[in-house]
Amino acid sequence: MGKINLHESVGNEQHRTISVITEDRPGRGQNSPIIEEKIWKKIQYFSFFELLKDIFLPAGYPHTVSKDYINYQIWDTVQAFASGLSGALAARAVLEGVGVGDQTASVLGATITWLLKDGTGMVGRITFAWWKGTSLDSDCKRWRLYADIFNDLSFMVDLLAPFFKPHTLPIFCFSSLLRSIVGVAGGATRMALTQHQSIANNMADVSAKDGSQETLVNLAALICNLIIVHLVQDRQLSWILFFLFVLGHLYANYRAVKVVVMSSLNETRFRLLYDEYLAHHQIGSLDAINAAEPVLLPARRRLRITYRMTNEALSKYEASPPPVAAVGLPRGC
């Protein structure tokens, strides 16, 4: 009878020990080779699985992340793969638009087009962050979906560039403007979702492992793109594949943001909670409120809270108003 101990540890902290007890071979004082081979295969499988878990999942998973983590990451992986495939088709159109393969195109013209395109994107990032920066945190699910819609729209604009070569400069500038919105909204909402997922003060680890997952998906998409760009030369087929990839990308994004269960309240979730209480005299659960939250269109009805005060209380308030200067405002404001 033998015993093999498998230790799982994170850093210097040991978490658990798995023991495998072997049986003696009948009639002999040593373990059966068949049993030893099966045990070795289990050890190899265990080690390989744990290695993948350590590489791509946060330490202590699933106890150190939110309960919606794995569902969101699965759909996020699907959307990243579809986005990588559609992005390759758009990149080829961009290169054709700036003059790659065209002997009449000049290097100076392509350089100016590229610089103006990048400059437009820089101005767009600053403007969009000033305009919508405060709402990216509270409405992170909606803006996460919007960012990917704008991303696909920018790819479509790039694909239109070869058909309008005399107007490639404004087309690429508009595409860069859309992509600047994607950069600001996508980056900000990703950080908000990472903060929601990290429940054990491990935001850096969750963010790093999310980057590793995305890099692996992009690598897989790159291998597929090497095959696609060689096989697909017809523009009509390119458009068909592009729309198929976009549909898969948007569907996966929609499913990803719908599985997120935020534990905080924004205006929309508070309105749903308030309506649920008025209708049924009970507080809705987090799962129900998040499932009912619209992620594509904003709420049409604005929430209004009215404060009512009796005449006696109003008279006391007018007789002795609170000191305005106590909150840092000048008197008379």
Side-chain angles (χ1 to χ4, degrees), residues 302-317:
R302 304 287 294 181
L303 179 64
R304 293 183 178 181
I305 300 178
T306 303
Y307 296 95
R308 295 184 179 181
M309 186 178 296
T310 62
N311 294 331
E312 182 180 358
L314 181 61
S315 301
K316 292 182 179 180
Y317 178 82

Side-chain angles (χ1 to χ4, degrees), residues 51-73:
L51 178 62
L52 292 180
K53 181 179 176 182
D54 291 340
I55 293 176
F56 296 107
L57 292 177
Y61 170 85
H63 307 292
T64 57
V65 293
S66 60
K67 63 179 182 179
D68 55 7
Y69 175 82
I70 191 62
N71 291 330
Y72 175 81
Q73 293 302 124

Side-chain angles (χ1 to χ4, degrees), residues 16 28 30 32-33 50 84 98 107 112 124-125 133 142 144 164 168 193 204 251 263 272 297 304 327 332:
R16 64 175 178 175
R28 300 181 63 179
Q30 59 182 358
S32 169
E50 291 299 318
V98 297
V107 177
I112 293 176
R125 281 192 293 271
R142 179 179 298 115
R144 179 65 182 170
F164 304 95
T168 54
L193 291 173
Y251 176 75
S263 57
L272 293 172
L297 297 176
R304 293 183 178 181
V327 295

Side-chain angles (χ1 to χ4, degrees), residues 178 226 283:
L178 293 174
L226 292 176
I283 303 297

Side-chain angles (χ1 to χ4, degrees), residues 316-327 329 331 333:
K316 292 182 179 180
Y317 178 82
E318 292 177 347
S320 58
V324 181
V327 295
L329 296 177
R331 294 185 179 273
C333 292

Side-chain angles (χ1 to χ4, degrees), residues 6-317:
L6 303 178
H7 301 280
E8 179 188 9
S9 61
V10 178
N12 296 325
E13 299 181 2
Q14 181 173 314
H15 285 265
R16 64 175 178 175
T17 300
I18 298 178
S19 299
V20 179
I21 301 177
T22 64
E23 299 178 357
D24 293 339
R25 187 175 181 181
R28 300 181 63 179
Q30 59 182 358
N31 295 333
S32 169
I34 299 178
I35 296 177
E36 289 180 351
E37 182 180 359
K38 291 181 179 180
I39 294 174
W40 178 244
K41 288 182 179 179
K42 290 181 179 180
I43 294 175
Q44 287 179 325
Y45 174 78
F46 175 79
S47 301
F48 180 71
F49 177 78
E50 291 299 318
L51 178 62
L52 292 180
K53 181 179 176 182
D54 291 340
I55 293 176
F56 296 107
L57 292 177
Y61 170 85
H63 307 292
T64 57
V65 293
S66 60
K67 63 179 182 179
D68 55 7
Y69 175 82
I70 191 62
N71 291 330
Y72 175 81
Q73 293 302 124
I74 290 174
W75 286 111
D76 188 60
T77 299
V78 175
Q79 70 86 17
F81 183 74
S83 179
L85 296 179
S86 58
L89 299 176
R92 183 171 63 180
V94 170
L95 295 177
E96 293 179 4
V98 297
V100 175
D102 188 1
Q103 297 180 354
T104 61
S106 64
V107 177
L108 178 61
T111 303
I112 293 176
T113 300
W114 203 270
L115 291 177
L116 291 177
K117 177 181 73 70
D118 289 345
T120 304
M122 295 175 187
V123 175
R125 281 192 293 271
I126 296 174
T127 305
F128 181 76
W130 164 72
W131 180 40
K132 287 293 184 180
T134 55
S135 63
L136 297 178
D137 191 34
S138 59
D139 287 332
C140 62
K141 291 195 287 185
R142 179 179 298 115
W143 279 107
R144 179 65 182 170
L145 182 60
Y146 284 176
D148 290 291
I149 293 176
F150 286 134
N151 188 53
D152 292 333
L153 184 59
S154 67
F155 287 158
M156 187 175 66
V157 172
D158 291 336
L159 284 173
L160 291 173
F163 296 98
F164 304 95
K165 286 190 175 182
H167 307 286
T168 54
L169 179 58
I171 290 177
F172 285 153
C173 288
F174 180 65
S175 174
S176 181
L177 184 63
L178 293 174
R179 202 164 284 117
S180 68
I181 299 176
V182 176
V184 176
T189 54
R190 179 181 293 273
M191 293 303 299
L193 291 173
T194 302
Q195 185 179 17
H196 158 72
Q197 292 173 340
S198 53
I199 62 174
N201 198 22
N202 58 338
M203 184 174 177
D205 186 26
V206 174
S207 179
K209 297 304 171 58
D210 181 70
S212 298
Q213 296 171 21
E214 187 173 0
T215 302
L216 179 64
V217 173
N218 290 336
L219 181 62
L222 176 64
I223 297 175
C224 295
N225 287 329
L226 292 176
I227 301 174
I228 292 176
V229 294
H230 286 288
L231 296 180
V232 180
Q233 300 295 332
D234 183 57
R235 288 184 176 177
Q236 184 177 1
L237 181 58
S238 297
W239 277 97
I240 294 175
L241 291 177
F242 173 76
F243 280 114
L244 290 177
F245 295 151
V246 166
L247 288 177
H249 177 232
L250 294 179
Y251 176 75
N253 266 288
Y254 178 80
R255 292 298 303 271
V257 297
K258 287 297 291 184
V259 299
V260 175
V261 181
M262 301 295 291
S263 57
S264 59
L265 293 178
N266 59 5
E267 181 180 341
T268 302
R269 290 191 289 273
F270 181 77
R271 180 182 59 81
L272 293 172
L273 192 68
Y274 182 73
D275 292 342
E276 176 72 13
Y277 180 77
L278 291 181
H280 303 95
H281 300 285
Q282 62 182 5
I283 303 297
S285 63
L286 285 176
D287 294 337
I289 295 301
N290 279 270
E293 180 185 8
V295 296
L296 186 59
L297 297 176
R300 296 180 179 180
R301 182 170 61 87
R302 304 287 294 181
L303 179 64
R304 293 183 178 181
I305 300 178
T306 303
Y307 296 95
R308 295 184 179 181
M309 186 178 296
T310 62
N311 294 331
E312 182 180 358
L314 181 61
S315 301
K316 292 182 179 180
Y317 178 82

